[in-house]
Amino acid sequence: MRDAIPALKSHHPGKDILAETPAYDLIELFFFAYRDFVSDPDRILDEYGFGRAHHRVLHFVSRNPGLTIAELLDILRITKQSLNRVLKELIEKDFIESRMGTSDRRQRLLFATPQGRELALKLAKLQTRRIMRALSGMEPEAKDAVSRYLLSLIDPNDSAHVKHLVFGSEET
């Protein structure tokens, strides 16, 4: 590793987690990592008058062309009202388009416009740069370990769905 970090406080698997002292070190590292991970896109999104909700919608619609409103609500776990406000802005500013479903005309399918795909890619490249910089000083297996760790933070009832969404199958 590049720089030695202080030993993280011991957390023993199998012990009653509620009886232990909270993992403040890991909680705080996660907080600061997330803060900086979203800071790069935040600056660019601000130029468009967009926020993090716009980023999440644009990201998942761009990565999953033809995503339905219901599927997007399931991914983001936000209210329909919150999604409608953000989606309306993205559609009005020509970053996303909504099309009628082919088999069910009541269904709305979402697609990123060329401008939307370009912005989504620009934001993803910023975050990829930060991730790759973090992984660069680690062993080659680190990406797999980080992926397993992040997947283990996801609620067990949702992990298969997330694996499918992220990796395209139930396997990692």
Side-chain angles (χ1 to χ4, degrees):
M1 276 204 195
R2 282 186 295 217
D3 299 317
I5 59 171
L8 296 175
K9 293 171 184 63
S10 178
H11 301 283
H12 304 285
K15 278 182 86 177
D16 181 4
I17 266 180
L18 297 176
E20 291 187 38
T21 303
Y24 290 123
D25 51 354
L26 295 175
I27 291 167
E28 290 168 6
L29 285 171
F30 196 84
F31 169 79
F32 289 118
Y34 177 75
R35 178 199 66 189
D36 292 349
F37 179 70
V38 297
S39 69
D40 300 324
D42 281 351
R43 283 188 287 279
I44 291 172
L45 290 162
D46 192 48
E47 295 171 15
Y48 295 90
F50 294 159
R52 292 179 186 164
H54 296 85
H55 183 190
R56 288 188 294 270
V57 169
L58 188 57
H59 173 86
F60 285 105
V61 170
S62 180
R63 294 276 298 144
N64 301 279
L67 197 64
T68 67
I69 301 282
E71 291 167 331
L72 187 56
L73 284 168
D74 186 52
I75 290 168
L76 300 176
R77 301 234 171 112
I78 60 175
T79 66
K80 200 172 194 176
Q81 184 179 3
S82 297
L83 177 60
N84 284 338
R85 181 189 59 77
V86 169
L87 201 50
K88 182 179 182 221
E89 288 180 66
L90 288 166
I91 290 170
E92 285 175 355
K93 293 184 178 183
D94 196 36
F95 286 88
I96 289 181
E97 64 179 314
S98 174
R99 302 178 194 160
M100 275 189 262
T102 52
S103 59
D104 182 352
R105 299 184 67 74
R106 294 170 299 174
Q107 196 174 46
R108 291 173 54 204
L109 306 179
L110 303 173
F111 296 86
T113 64
Q115 176 179 244
R117 285 190 304 276
E118 184 180 318
L119 179 56
L121 184 59
K122 183 177 185 177
L123 299 174
K125 284 181 177 182
L126 282 173
Q127 291 181 314
T128 298
R129 193 174 306 130
R130 185 175 289 275
I131 289 168
M132 298 316 288
R133 187 179 73 229
L135 290 173
S136 70
M138 299 180 180
E139 308 79 39
E141 305 81 29
K143 183 177 185 281
D144 289 337
V146 170
S147 293
R148 283 192 311 274
Y149 171 74
L150 292 172
L151 278 168
S152 70
L153 285 175
I154 296 165
D155 287 334
N157 294 341
D158 201 29
S159 65
H161 177 248
V162 170
K163 282 181 192 178
H164 180 73
L165 185 66
V166 173
F167 301 107
S169 70
E170 301 300 315
E171 304 298 317
T172 56

